[in-house]
Amino acid sequence: MGDSNKDSCSFLSEKSAKIFVAGHRGLVGSAIVRKLLSLGFTHLLLRTHAELDLTRQSDVESFFAAEKPSYVIVAAAKVGGIHANNTYPAEFIAINLQIQTNVIDSAFRYGVKKLLFLGSSCIYPKFAPQPIPENALLTGPLEPTNEWYAIAKIAGIKMCQAYQIQYKFNAISGMPTNLYGPNDNFHPENSHVLPALMRRFHEAKVNGAKEVVVWGTGSPLREFLHVDDLADAVVFMMDEYDGLEHLNVGSGKEVSIKKLAEWVKEVVGFEGELVWDSSKPDGTPRKLMDSSKLAGLGWRAKIELRDGLADTYKWYLENVKQ
């Protein structure tokens, strides 16, 4: 029971296999679904939160017993920015632990061939070397503002490794850098830097504002990956990677927050002034992941940030209610 077969034919050759994409409505899950459909996969198992509550162990077990998926991609998570993590620490640790524990364990017990668990770059120590290699994990204290989420995601990586070691279950992990793209969260308080900037410039444009004030100096460097690139990497890893160690998934390119804000302003078409409030904190000066391991296996990001921003703004205009 649950013993995976690593010698089976490749993921990409099994277009009719049942694939459970947990979290298919989110930024990441929706991109993975688009990618799988575009590749001709015909049997995606998709459940909304109302249809299947992944925090309820018995419901998850019943789903796996009934559907018996061959492959599982865990893109379901409770996510949010610094404000949300500070306000709801209990939810961030409990819900994420529940979701991943239920899904990984049921996947093993009901004979899933392969599972991919997705986390985020916030798993790494606050003062990790830059660019951050995979082996920086657990070498120092975490960023206090999102440690609840990070601890859950680290536990998920370790659970996949433990199930590989003890049960030979083919469970792998990928840790993406900062993501953006269609279906991102543009909420005024609970969103990340890129969608927050896009919304603020858009609203300033619509309201005819003279200026947009952004916190800090704009000097910190950040890495961004379009979610369609991540979806491409997910398929690549499902097909090519069976290792014990988690893999970083990044673009390998850095941009200053200043340059990012200027590009977003340009894409949105805001004609007013961009003002930096340097009395406000800047955050970590640099955050870049070392994705050379994945590159060595043959995968690289393809979407340039400038193009991705234009694509994301187009989606925002068509889908986000003002």
Side-chain angles (χ1 to χ4, degrees):
M1 171 176 90
D3 195 14
S4 74
N5 176 8
K6 289 197 181 183
D7 303 317
S8 61
C9 55
S10 84
F11 174 73
L12 279 170
S13 67
E14 294 190 67
K15 295 294 191 336
S16 61
K18 282 188 179 182
I19 305 170
F20 175 41
V21 182
H24 75 281
R25 281 180 157 179
L27 171 67
V28 174
S30 60
I32 292 167
V33 169
R34 285 196 301 274
K35 183 68 181 176
L36 292 173
L37 291 174
S38 76
L39 290 169
F41 284 89
T42 57
H43 209 147
L44 304 188
L45 298 174
L46 309 174
R47 296 289 185 276
T48 63
H49 179 72
E51 292 165 333
L52 175 61
D53 183 346
L54 296 174
T55 67
R56 299 177 69 95
Q57 185 180 5
S58 60
D59 293 4
V60 175
E61 287 181 355
S62 299
F63 167 77
F64 274 87
E67 296 292 346
K68 296 207 164 42
S70 294
Y71 296 100
V72 174
I73 298 164
V74 188
K78 166 105 179 138
V79 297
I82 292 170
H83 175 77
N85 270 272
N86 278 337
T87 315
Y88 311 110
E91 276 100 324
F92 275 92
I93 193 161
I95 291 172
N96 285 305
L97 284 172
Q98 288 164 346
I99 289 171
Q100 65 205 35
T101 303
N102 292 341
V103 173
I104 294 166
D105 187 68
S106 284
F108 160 66
R109 294 190 186 283
Y110 291 96
V112 166
K113 284 186 189 176
K114 185 170 186 175
L115 175 144
L116 169 57
F117 172 71
L118 290 166
S120 112
S121 56
C122 77
I123 62 167
Y124 291 112
K126 181 171 182 166
F127 300 110
Q130 301 288 335
I132 310 170
E134 284 89 354
N135 64 11
L137 186 66
L138 295 174
T139 57
L142 298 163
E143 170 63 60
T145 52
N146 57 18
E147 67 176 346
W148 321 104
Y149 175 80
I151 288 283
K153 287 295 174 183
I154 293 167
I157 294 173
K158 291 297 169 189
M159 186 165 174
C160 287
Q161 291 175 346
Y163 276 54
Q164 271 210 52
I165 292 164
Q166 188 173 336
Y167 300 131
K168 305 290 182 283
F169 176 45
N170 195 357
I172 61 169
S173 300
M175 297 297 125
T177 187
N178 298 310
L179 299 166
Y180 73 99
N183 286 311
D184 206 343
N185 169 20
F186 291 89
H187 189 279
E189 270 96 59
N190 294 343
S191 57
H192 293 105
V193 60
L194 191 154
L197 283 171
M198 192 165 282
R199 183 186 180 116
R200 290 187 61 204
F201 280 117
H202 175 79
E203 289 179 348
K205 179 177 113 172
V206 169
N207 298 327
K210 297 263 192 296
E211 61 177 36
V212 167
V213 179
V214 183
W215 279 23
T217 63
S219 65
L221 296 169
R222 292 293 180 270
E223 176 186 26
F224 294 95
L225 183 71
H226 193 287
V227 74
D228 289 346
D229 270 334
L230 172 61
D232 189 59
V234 161
V235 170
F236 179 86
M237 289 171 68
M238 287 297 284
D239 199 55
E240 300 276 344
Y241 185 68
D242 295 326
L244 191 63
E245 189 175 43
H246 67 280
L247 287 180
N248 286 343
V249 187
S251 62
K253 294 179 179 173
E254 302 179 276
V255 63
S256 68
I257 296 294
K258 186 173 191 296
K259 173 61 78 180
L260 174 69
E262 286 165 359
W263 277 353
V264 173
K265 177 179 185 279
E266 204 176 289
V267 162
V268 169
F270 174 64
E271 302 288 341
E273 203 183 341
L274 167 55
V275 178
W276 295 94
D277 180 358
S278 56
S279 71
K280 295 290 194 293
D282 257 338
T284 313
R286 185 183 187 208
K287 196 174 175 193
L288 173 69
M289 302 224 300
D290 179 350
S291 301
S292 58
K293 198 159 276 188
L294 186 55
L297 295 171
W299 185 86
R300 279 188 172 79
K302 299 172 186 68
I303 301 168
E304 293 294 336
L305 181 56
R306 189 73 176 64
D307 300 332
L309 289 173
D311 160 79
T312 304
Y313 186 53
K314 182 171 178 286
W315 183 89
Y316 177 84
L317 289 175
E318 290 166 2
N319 294 277
V320 179
K321 300 281 180 285
Q322 300 311 315

